[in-house]
Every structure is written in structure tokens, then in C-alpha cells.
Amino acid sequence: MPATEPLRALQALPADLVRRPLDFLSADHARQRTVSDLMEKLAEDSVLDPAVAEGVLRYLTVDMAAHVRDEEEDLFPLLRKRCLAEDEIDTALSLLAAEHTSEERLAKTVMAGLQRLIDEDLPARSDPPLRDELVGYARHLRRHLALEHSILLPMARVRLTARDLRDMAKHMAARRGIELSAPA
Ligand SMILES: [Fe+2]
Ligand SMILES: [Fe+2]
């Protein structure tokens, strides 16, 4: 089955969205749900869809790296600074940071595997350990972003200041080579 629609969802987000950094992160989480679906599709397909493999590989190589930096260098430190003790955010942040480390390992294996499939025009079924890694990473990622999406982003919307959000937007734009002109 062609995957044109989901692949379209993986295209770059509108540059201007970075002005609303929490909305940008939220839109990126939606793209990560698509990446998870596509990794499971790659694991199931009997013939490799190179456009899907390349789309997932590109997202993991470029976008995911920037997304994790957005969180670890901006969102998490700001939440640690602004949240109140009663928010009990520290446990969630420590868990999510540990998950970033394990996801980085999974992503490296999956990226190398996808590149091999593309080079050799083989489906993931030809490599059962890679199939397991694709499904395992997809599940891990879904769990991870569900926690960020249901707890972290709503908390950030309450606790972060307008200045925090402006600083975050500046850093996120710089990470992506986006020029932020003065608002009209
Ligand atoms: Fe994350
Ligand atoms: Fe995230």
C-alpha cells in the first residue's frame, strides 16, 4: 500500500511555527507518531518501499536529533527552573532523559539497518533482528512521546514565561538554520 499521506506528514514543519515553540514540539510529536507507524509498516512489508525507508531515515537523522536537543537543552531545564515542588516534575524529567539515551542507541541501530535495506533493496523481513528493533523502537517512541505530550507540554504551557518561550524559539530556530525576522 503506498504511504504517500504519512510521508507528506514527515515534511518539514512551517518555519514560522518555531515562534510558538510548544506548538512546534507538539507538531513534531505528531510526526513521531507517523514515524512509529511507518517503522511498523517497514517491519511488516514483504517488499521494501524505499520512499518510506528514506523518509524515516531522514527524520531520525535530522529532525529527531534537533528535537531531542530542543527538549534537553531548552524545555527540560526551563521546566526544572519554573515548576513548583508540588508539580513533581523531576521524576518524569529524569525518566525521559534516560529514555533519550536508550532511544539514541536504538535509533543508531535502526538507521544503520535502514541504510543497508535501501542500499541492497531488501525488506526488513530479510533481517529478523532489525525487524524487532524497528517494532521495539516504534513502541518505545510512542510511550515516550505520550508521556511528554500528556504531562510535559501541558505543564510547560502553564509554567513557562513569555520570555522563556521567546528564548526557546530563538534557540530552536538557530538549531534549524531558520532566520527569525521581527514579528510584523
Ligand atoms: Fe523526548
Ligand atoms: Fe519529544
Side-chain angles (χ1 to χ4, degrees):
M1 203 205 328
T4 318
E5 274 307 312
L7 279 177
R8 206 168 290 147
L10 289 194
Q11 285 173 359
L13 294 171
D16 225 39
L17 188 60
V18 88
R19 289 183 185 285
R20 291 182 277 125
L22 300 179
D23 290 342
F24 190 101
L25 290 180
S26 177
D28 226 358
H29 284 163
R31 296 204 296 165
Q32 287 170 23
R33 271 189 285 276
T34 302
V35 166
S36 302
D37 294 345
L38 291 176
M39 286 197 288
E40 286 177 342
K41 174 176 163 47
L42 284 165
E44 280 309 307
D45 283 354
S46 48
V47 176
L48 179 73
D49 184 335
V52 170
E54 281 161 14
V56 170
L57 184 57
R58 196 168 43 245
Y59 186 89
L60 294 180
T61 309
V62 180
D63 300 89
M64 187 63 102
H67 180 83
V68 171
R69 287 187 62 199
D70 294 341
E71 292 179 343
E72 297 219 339
E73 295 175 24
D74 286 297
L75 181 65
F76 290 10
L78 284 170
L79 282 167
R80 280 192 207 279
K81 191 157 125 193
R82 301 287 180 216
C83 282
L84 311 177
E86 71 210 42
D87 296 336
E88 295 179 351
I89 204 76
D90 278 340
T91 313
L93 291 177
S94 301
L95 172 71
L96 290 164
E99 286 188 355
H100 283 163
T101 305
S102 47
E103 276 169 14
E104 200 184 328
R105 262 197 314 274
L106 276 169
K108 273 191 185 138
T109 315
V110 163
M111 287 190 289
L114 288 178
Q115 190 61 62
R116 199 171 56 247
L117 297 183
I118 294 165
D119 292 344
E120 296 173 11
D121 190 21
L122 287 171
R125 280 170 183 242
S126 65
D127 183 343
L130 175 60
R131 245 184 120 180
D132 291 345
E133 300 274 8
L134 281 163
V135 173
Y137 186 24
R139 288 187 187 150
H140 196 287
L141 190 55
R142 261 195 216 106
R143 254 197 336 264
H144 178 88
L145 64 92
L147 181 59
E148 289 180 344
H149 207 64
S150 61
I151 295 181
L152 256 54
L153 291 184
M155 189 68 82
R157 288 185 196 283
V158 174
R159 299 287 185 225
L160 268 48
T161 65
R163 176 69 195 265
D164 292 339
L165 295 174
R166 271 200 305 276
D167 288 346
M168 221 178 142
K170 233 184 283 168
H171 299 158
M172 286 167 63
R175 243 166 240 141
R176 292 165 175 83
I178 296 171
E179 291 263 349
L180 274 189
S181 52

